[in-house]
């Protein structure tokens, strides 16, 4: 069965600093991978998606993620965090036939 | 373009009571999902439909939960005889079948069972 592990429940970062959120997936074959974000009092929104191809994918608001088959990972990065990035970030995996399987999420707090 | 609409936004029940959640997906989206998100956890898939057909309901607690999408548009998720363990936010999402994993979520219906 497919699964996703986000090892960091909470991350605190200073505004302007870089951010990396870790995601490890378990999937037999080549997965489709996603990062979703949940801003306070808002619904989940797609941040970026990986379909088999270029391992580095760009998303909205300066986010990017890198797929590694050898490490079974799909880590999310941002070079310079803004206060508006305060949110919960979810990694997710699927194949074309199933619904998304989400990780537990990483809660990001941004301080000046 | 209107997004995914859910109602009610909040519900508070005593154990044993029933509740129904309603979802209006984005117009033209053929696939509709219901997820359960307990506090401080990730969403967990309950059921999903393509048009009016159930594709996967294997994670739906069938003894108390039911979901329908009779005309392939709006959907209702019903919980009968609610338990405290059902306390969670119920999320509806929709998508086109050809856009793997690209879901559009509503703001959710937050259920508290006392």
């Amino acid at each position: 069965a497919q699964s996703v592990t986000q090892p960091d429940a909470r991350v605190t970062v200073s505004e302007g600093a870089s951010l990396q959120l870790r995601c490890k997936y378990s999937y037999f074959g080549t997965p489709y991978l996603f990062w979703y974000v949940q801003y306070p009092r808002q619904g989940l929104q797609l941040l970026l998606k990986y379909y088999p191809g270029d391992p580095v994918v760009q998303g909205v608001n300066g986010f990017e993620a890198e797929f590694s088959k050898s490490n079974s990972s799909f880590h999310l990065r941002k070079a310079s965090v803004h206060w508006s990035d305060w949110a919960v970030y979810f990694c997710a995996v699927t194949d074309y036939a199933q619904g998304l399987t989400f990780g537990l999420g990483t809660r990001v707090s941004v301080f000046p | 373009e209107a997004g995914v609409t859910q109602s009610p936004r909040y519900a508070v029940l005593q154990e044993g009571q029933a509740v129904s959640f309603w979802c209006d997906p984005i117009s033209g989206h053929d696939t509709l999902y219901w997820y359960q998100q307990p506090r401080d956890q990730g969403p967990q898939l309950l059921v999903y439909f393509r048009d009016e057909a159930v594709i996967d309901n294997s994670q739906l607690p069938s003894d108390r939960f039911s979901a329908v999408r009779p005309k392939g548009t709006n959907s209702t998720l019903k919980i009968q005889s609610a338990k405290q363990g059902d306390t969670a936010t119920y999320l509806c999402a929709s998508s086109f079948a050809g856009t793997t994993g690209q879901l559009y979520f509503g703001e959710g219906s937050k259920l508290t069972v006392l």
Side-chain angles (χ1 to χ4, degrees), chain B residues 37-93:
Chain B
Q37 185 177 18
R39 183 179 175 84
D40 293 333
Q41 295 187 33
Q44 298 158 17
L45 181 66
L46 292 173
V47 58
Y48 80 98
F49 300 86
R50 186 148 300 132
D51 300 318
E52 67 277 5
V54 174
I55 303 300
D56 183 0
N57 63 357
S58 59
Q59 301 305 310
L60 195 67
S62 58
D63 58 335
R64 297 184 300 108
F65 285 62
S66 62
V68 295
R69 194 186 185 200
K71 297 183 179 179
T73 52
N74 301 335
S75 177
T76 302
L77 174 70
K78 185 174 183 177
I79 305 174
Q80 295 181 330
S81 190
K83 299 180 178 181
Q84 288 187 352
D86 299 331
T87 294
T89 299
Y90 291 85
L91 303 174
C92 179

Side-chain angles (χ1 to χ4, degrees), chain A residues 29-111:
Chain A
T30 301
Y32 295 81
L33 292 158
F34 306 82
W35 279 95
Y36 277 78
V37 60
Q38 192 168 37
Y39 297 108
R41 295 174 296 281
Q42 294 186 31
L44 280 157
Q45 302 171 32
L46 180 64
L47 202 56
L48 51 77
K49 62 183 184 289
Y50 168 78
Y51 289 176
D54 189 335
V56 178
V57 293
Q58 305 295 323
V60 298
N61 298 332
F63 284 94
E64 69 173 25
E66 184 167 2
F67 168 74
S68 171
K69 187 170 184 177
S70 60
N71 293 324
S72 298
S73 67
F74 188 56
H75 300 331
L76 181 70
R77 302 189 294 251
K78 186 171 183 178
S80 178
V81 170
H82 187 262
W83 65 266
S84 59
D85 296 321
W86 188 308
V88 184
Y89 294 80
F90 294 96
C91 184
V93 65
T94 189
D95 64 17
Y96 64 90
Q98 301 185 50
L100 283 170
T101 298
F102 287 88
L104 292 180
T106 298
R107 189 175 299 271
V108 174
S109 302
V110 182
F111 292 95

